[in-house]
Amino acid sequence: MPRNVGIDIEPGSDPNSINLCSNGAVPVAILGTDTFDVYDIDTDTLKFADAAVKVVGKKDPHSLCSYEDVNGDGNDDLVCHFVTMDIAGVDGQSTLAAVSGNLLDAIPFEGMDTVNIVKDTCN
């Protein structure tokens, strides 16, 4: 059973609106705590509603993730950006979305947050 962790989709935004037809990326923060160190996350295993972390760079490709304290609790959080067009695990009826992945020691984790899907069919 995966370890439950806190996440924040679209940090600083409420509601967490997602346009599934956007060519952009959705930021998701995995919240660090005194007992959960986000530096132990294997970013290559992260999925947000079936989408992988956006990769940038041609010569030296790397995941679009950064460490910052998004909720002001004094613990670093991991903020990763997921390609919006790759999000397949939610639709216009969805009210929750999940991030899943593994820690560096292969222990799985998962976190959920609310979402507001503003457009789910693309023409």
Side-chain angles (χ1 to χ4, degrees), residues 16-82:
N16 304 320
S17 297
I18 299 174
N19 175 349
L20 295 178
C21 299
S22 165
N23 287 324
V26 177
V28 179
I30 301 170
L31 304 176
T33 67
D34 291 338
T35 58
F36 182 68
D37 186 350
V38 295
Y39 290 94
D40 291 337
I41 294 173
D42 180 354
T43 57
D44 290 337
T45 66
L46 291 176
K47 296 281 187 195
F48 170 59
D50 298 332
V53 175
K54 182 174 183 174
V55 176
V56 294
K58 292 183 180 178
K59 281 188 170 184
D60 183 24
H62 61 278
S63 297
L64 190 55
C65 293
S66 62
Y67 297 95
E68 58 186 285
D69 181 7
V70 299
N71 59 354
D73 66 355
N75 294 299
D76 279 346
D77 306 308
L78 177 64
V79 180
C80 294
H81 296 257
F82 296 85

Side-chain angles (χ1 to χ4, degrees), residues 40 42 101-109:
D40 291 337
D42 180 354
N102 291 329
L103 301 177
L104 294 172
D105 60 6
I107 294 174
F109 68 88

